[in-house]
Amino acid sequence: MGRRKHFNKMSHADFWILMMGCLAMCHAAPTVAPTVSPEEENLAEDYLSQFYSDVGLKNSSVRSITKSSFSEDLQSMQAFFGLEVTGVLNNETIEVMKAPRCGVSDISRYGHFHGKPRWRKSLITYRITQYTRDLTQSQVDATIAQAFQLYSDVIPLNFKQVRSGTADIMILFKGGYHGDYYPFDGVGGVLAHANSPGQREGGDTHFDDDETWTLTQRGVNLLLVAAHEFGHALGLDHSRDRRALMFPTYQYVNTNGYRLPDDDRRGVQALYGSRNPSPTTQPKPEPPEPEEPTEDPNPDPLPDPRTEQCSRELVFDAATSIRGDLYFFKNGHYWRKSSRIQQITLTKVNTKWSQIHYVDAAYEVPRKDAVYLFEGSQYWGIRAYAKTLIPGYPKSITNLGLPSSVRKVDAAVYVSTTGKTFIFVNNQYWSYDEVRNQMDSGYPRSISRDFPGIGSRVDAAFENFGYLYFSSGARQSEYYLPYKRVMRVLLNYGWLNCY
């Protein structure tokens, strides 16, 4: 099996590791600045053993590092990242070690793996055996195809997705242990890893599904990480050029019109040659529909929702009532539909609540005069009357009884007739008892089974005049809970005075 590399989250090349790698931190008792803690020393020792020590490459179970070898390895690491080469562990070096990155070792002097392994055929097949839940299957398929296209644009290789059997490159998304003796380490750290070209597992690429995979700047951008890892799968090692895709740490760059950087293009063409300038016979993949609007590098990263207010394709991030008014959240903003004022107003979330930037889910409990807003793994309590933050927040969503594996809530809605709050995550939901302040037993349960007709996922939910409204994409189901029936199907934009 070829060497494997992985990717962490820092600079735009650092998050990929296409051979088999892992993220660690190095410890060096002998040459340590006084401000470095013992925990950071241990981190550094592990990091150097993983990525810069010959011992680490030959036997990852061996962790001992001598004083002289530690200093030498530390100097190599500092030189690689363009730091001051002192051989002394300091805070600047520790910060680089903590950055998310690829899992492949950095000790190679060259842009290719030892022996220059490469594919000996012009058509490479790939198969995705397990998908992430963060994106739709079609989004993942299109993004993976786009990542391969970056290479087929410049070298005479074509890539074809297959749906069954064993492909040249097998791809999966899974957290923790996933069958290859190189378990992932949870959120942050190693983002992905891949094997170099070869028989059997050669080229196989794995993505840590504990990360939040996106098509934008938020979370971890799948296109950038996949393209880095596929560089490893084609035979590229890490680059010392900070502008290169194959630089070992992850950093987001704008992916609109993204092309392979010059350093990476020269490296892969040295293995495979250049593609004939005549038009390629392989059709370019359609760009994936983004899960969120494409971000702009300027201060306000997401488009102004006013451009979407009356679009029939409008998708809500969250929705809730607050003392008789309805709030619809989108891209860090909210529309307020008042029962007293005809005009729909639009406000940026963090101008109202400075600690909150995006709202993934929201619900109101009128008897507590409280509204709860969710962002990622945290939630805030808001006084509904004053619309001010309740002291003691934010809290972790695990405080509600959700398992630690849940990284964000899709939607939530309080049902006044039962005193329960339904919390939706992927294709399941939980029931939280607002009287007892604890999760009901027997959950999670299936959304499609318990709410027939609304589908298997909920993007936003709220209650209005005795009906529950469940949004999935641009469509919305008006649901009457006592009958367990969909009464009618609407479009989200209809709430925003667009008819």
Side-chain angles (χ1 to χ4, degrees):
M1 182 175 73
R3 293 170 54 205
R4 172 170 292 179
K5 292 209 169 185
H6 31 249
F7 208 49
N8 290 355
K9 206 178 181 181
M10 173 189 170
S11 82
H12 90 269
D14 230 22
F15 61 99
W16 306 294
I17 290 181
L18 194 47
M19 307 282 272
M20 189 140 151
C22 61
L23 178 68
M25 306 292 166
C26 295
H27 159 83
T31 50
V32 177
T35 56
V36 175
S37 69
E39 292 78 12
E40 289 171 328
E41 294 176 34
N42 290 329
L43 182 69
E45 185 174 287
D46 288 343
Y47 186 97
L48 293 183
S49 177
Q50 180 79 42
F51 298 114
Y52 286 87
S53 170
D54 288 335
V55 171
L57 283 177
K58 294 173 182 176
N59 186 352
S60 60
S61 67
V62 177
R63 295 291 181 183
S64 61
I65 301 180
T66 66
K67 179 177 179 178
S68 61
S69 68
F70 178 87
S71 180
E72 292 172 1
D73 292 342
L74 186 60
Q75 290 180 50
S76 297
M77 179 264 180
Q78 290 170 329
F80 186 94
F81 285 98
L83 304 173
E84 183 181 1
V85 180
T86 63
V88 175
L89 187 61
N90 53 35
N91 290 330
E92 183 183 16
T93 305
I94 282 290
E95 287 306 307
V96 173
M97 289 177 170
K98 288 180 177 179
R101 61 162 290 150
C102 173
V104 183
S105 165
D106 296 333
I107 67 170
S108 173
R109 298 181 181 178
Y110 309 102
H112 308 129
F113 291 115
H114 181 69
K116 294 190 176 181
R118 65 184 181 90
W119 297 98
R120 304 288 176 175
K121 52 186 178 179
S122 60
L123 177 64
I124 309 299
T125 59
Y126 66 92
R127 179 185 173 193
I128 306 170
T129 60
Q130 196 163 333
Y131 286 81
T132 178
R133 295 173 297 178
D134 299 331
L135 301 167
T136 66
Q137 182 171 327
S138 61
Q139 286 175 326
V140 173
D141 286 345
T143 304
I144 294 298
Q146 188 179 357
F148 279 121
Q149 186 76 42
L150 293 173
Y151 293 97
S152 63
D153 279 345
V154 299
I155 59 174
L157 290 186
N158 291 322
F159 301 91
K160 178 182 179 182
Q161 182 176 7
V162 297
R163 304 287 182 177
S164 62
T166 301
D168 296 313
I169 297 174
M170 301 291 280
I171 300 168
L172 63 78
F173 292 78
K174 192 172 182 180
Y177 178 76
H178 51 281
D180 64 0
Y181 304 106
Y182 291 85
F184 286 124
D185 53 5
V187 177
V190 174
L191 307 179
H193 57 218
N195 293 327
S196 58
Q199 299 298 317
R200 300 172 65 85
E201 294 89 3
D204 288 359
T205 304
H206 304 151
F207 299 89
D208 186 355
D209 206 27
D210 285 334
E211 310 297 343
T212 299
W213 296 101
T214 74
L215 305 180
T216 62
Q217 186 173 358
R218 296 172 66 188
V220 180
N221 184 278
L222 179 58
L223 175 62
L224 293 175
V225 176
H228 176 107
E229 295 304 327
F230 297 154
H232 289 312
L234 294 174
L236 293 181
D237 203 344
H238 284 151
S239 171
R240 295 172 186 258
D241 185 342
R242 290 179 176 273
R243 298 165 298 179
L245 179 68
M246 299 309 297
F247 193 76
T249 55
Y250 171 80
Q251 179 178 343
Y252 176 80
V253 295
N254 194 322
T255 58
N256 288 337
Y258 185 78
R259 294 291 182 267
L260 206 61
D262 287 344
D263 183 76
D264 309 290
R265 176 183 54 78
R266 288 193 296 268
V268 75
Q269 287 178 338
L271 287 173
Y272 298 98
S274 300
R275 179 174 283 277
N276 191 307
S278 61
T280 177
T281 58
Q282 182 184 12
K284 286 193 174 222
E286 290 294 322
E289 287 293 325
E291 55 172 337
E292 344 173 43
T294 302
E295 298 185 35
D296 189 281
N298 292 319
D300 193 1
L302 294 174
D304 189 331
R306 279 174 291 197
T307 63
E308 297 185 71
Q309 178 172 334
C310 288
S311 167
R312 293 177 61 85
E313 302 303 316
L314 174 64
V315 177
F316 291 142
D317 293 339
T320 187
S321 58
I322 302 182
R323 295 185 66 85
D325 293 347
L326 294 176
Y327 287 65
F328 301 99
F329 296 86
K330 180 70 176 179
N331 294 350
H333 297 72
Y334 64 84
W335 289 284
R336 180 182 177 185
K337 183 180 177 68
S338 174
S339 56
R340 301 172 298 279
I341 304 172
Q342 184 174 4
Q343 182 181 3
I344 300 289
T345 59
L346 179 69
T347 305
K348 198 168 185 178
V349 171
N350 66 4
T351 63
K352 184 69 175 177
W353 303 291
S354 60
Q355 296 182 34
I356 309 171
H357 296 87
Y358 299 90
V359 177
D360 298 319
Y363 72 96
E364 178 187 25
V365 183
R367 68 177 191 82
K368 294 183 179 180
D369 189 40
V371 178
Y372 300 94
L373 304 181
F374 294 75
E375 180 180 3
S377 60
Q378 296 180 310
Y379 72 106
W380 284 259
I382 310 292
R383 294 289 181 205
Y385 177 76
K387 299 181 181 63
T388 57
L389 293 173
I390 299 173
Y393 288 87
K395 296 180 180 180
S396 169
I397 58 177
T398 58
N399 186 69
L400 295 169
L402 291 169
S404 59
S405 58
V406 174
R407 301 189 298 276
K408 66 181 286 289
V409 170
D410 292 334
V413 61
Y414 172 73
V415 182
S416 57
T417 56
T418 64
K420 311 284 189 181
T421 295
F422 297 139
I423 300 174
F424 300 88
V425 178
N426 297 319
N427 61 354
Q428 298 179 314
Y429 79 102
W430 281 259
S431 175
Y432 183 81
D433 191 310
E434 296 289 347
V435 176
R436 294 183 296 123
N437 292 321
Q438 67 182 50
M439 202 70 79
D440 291 331
S441 60
Y443 290 84
R445 293 172 59 92
S446 165
I447 294 173
S448 58
R449 181 179 303 161
D450 288 1
F451 300 93
I454 72 168
S456 60
R457 290 183 65 107
V458 177
D459 296 324
F462 62 99
E463 185 182 41
N464 195 48
F465 291 105
Y467 292 92
L468 298 178
Y469 292 85
F470 297 115
S471 292
S472 180
R475 296 168 65 85
Q476 187 179 91
S477 299
E478 182 184 76
Y479 195 83
Y480 191 53
L481 188 61
Y483 294 172
K484 289 189 173 294
R485 267 185 64 188
V486 174
M487 307 307 292
R488 55 181 177 154
V489 177
L490 312 168
L491 290 176
N492 289 330
Y493 82 112
W495 291 95
L496 301 180
N497 294 355
C498 295
Y499 285 129

